[in-house]
Amino acid sequence: MSQIALPLEQTPSPDHDGYLVTAANAEVHRHLQHWREWSHHTMILTGPEACGKTTMAASFETESGGLCLDEASDTEDTEIFHLWNRANSEQKPLLLLSAKPVSKWGVLLPDLKSRLAASLLVEIGPPDQAMIDGLFQKYFNSRGLTISEDALRYLEKRMIRSYAMVQSLAQKMDALAIEAKKPINLAIAKSALEFFDAGDEKVDS
């Protein structure tokens, strides 16, 4: 399975489509590697927006040849039910993705409720500092850039700790650096964080 383990010195190449593994998602990564052990061949993976579910799913599909359903919470009960039955009939693993917990999917079909309840359920936790640093480095590395250590440490103490904020801050720092024709340094990090602290743009946590 394609993935990028820390330490951060081992940064991904620009064309690498892997994902970082830290304590925040280590359990998920372990279960994805051992898909043959899933109860009823099915795993439900939940987690907040921008936490890497789609990238992890892409690696899973390549490695296992299994089935994957994105945004399962927005899918009709019958479609999920048939997909679950197909996976078990064909002895293929099925990965269901959702930003919402299963309790909020609004499942009405009794047979589907029982099948989901019997499936493996794993959640991606909030980003730890290793994940935050790694995501910033991966974002800028993919653009042939680097982010300075003092910029990372400044953001570490002040930013909202969420995947969505990491993504938004990285995009803002990138734009500011291009505009100022400067590297991603402490000044750029301060300006980007001030942009969000001032309420110029809302980021869901």
Side-chain angles (χ1 to χ4, degrees):
M1 177 174 291
S2 177
Q3 51 86 26
I4 304 161
L6 301 183
L8 299 178
E9 288 78 9
Q10 300 175 353
T11 52
S13 60
D15 59 349
H16 200 305
D17 196 31
Y19 56 87
L20 300 171
V21 179
T22 72
N25 63 355
E27 181 185 8
V28 176
H29 173 65
R30 179 174 61 83
H31 283 300
L32 288 173
Q33 286 188 310
H34 296 87
W35 49 268
R36 293 179 181 85
E37 302 173 3
W38 294 358
S39 176
H40 299 285
H41 308 284
T42 304
M43 182 172 116
I44 303 169
L45 177 58
T46 64
E49 298 294 341
C51 70
K53 295 190 299 295
T54 301
T55 303
M56 298 180 95
S59 293
F60 156 77
E61 287 184 289
T62 299
E63 176 71 17
S64 69
L67 308 174
C68 184
L69 178 62
D70 199 6
E71 296 303 331
S73 58
D74 298 329
T75 305
E76 293 290 335
D77 287 6
T78 52
E79 183 177 342
I80 302 176
F81 182 75
H82 290 314
L83 195 59
W84 193 95
N85 285 335
R86 176 189 166 190
N88 279 265
S89 174
E90 298 178 3
Q91 298 290 292
K92 288 184 176 181
L94 169 63
L95 181 62
L96 303 176
L97 307 178
S98 177
K100 299 178 183 177
V102 180
S103 60
K104 295 185 178 180
W105 287 14
V107 176
L108 300 177
L109 193 63
D111 285 346
L112 179 59
K113 282 185 178 181
S114 63
R115 282 163 172 74
L116 293 178
S119 302
L120 174 65
L121 174 62
V122 187
E123 180 181 7
I124 297 178
D128 54 18
Q129 193 56 50
M131 177 64 75
I132 290 173
D133 287 356
L135 288 174
F136 277 133
Q137 291 202 18
K138 182 182 179 184
Y139 179 93
F140 292 117
N141 185 78
S142 70
R143 287 154 177 76
L145 304 171
T146 59
I147 179 170
S148 67
E149 183 67 22
D150 56 352
L152 286 173
R153 300 289 72 84
Y154 177 85
L155 294 173
E156 172 185 343
K157 298 176 182 179
R158 296 166 176 84
M159 64 177 283
I160 295 172
R161 301 174 72 83
S162 74
Y163 297 97
M165 179 55 82
V166 171
Q167 184 179 71
S168 295
L169 275 171
Q171 292 170 348
K172 186 61 179 177
M173 286 189 285
D174 194 11
L176 289 172
I178 291 173
E179 182 180 347
K181 297 181 180 180
K182 292 181 178 179
I184 313 297
N185 54 24
L186 179 58
I188 293 293
K190 286 182 176 180
S191 296
L193 193 59
E194 288 171 0
F195 174 81
F196 292 102
D197 286 344
D200 292 321
E201 184 170 324
K202 182 180 178 181
V203 176
D204 295 331
S205 60

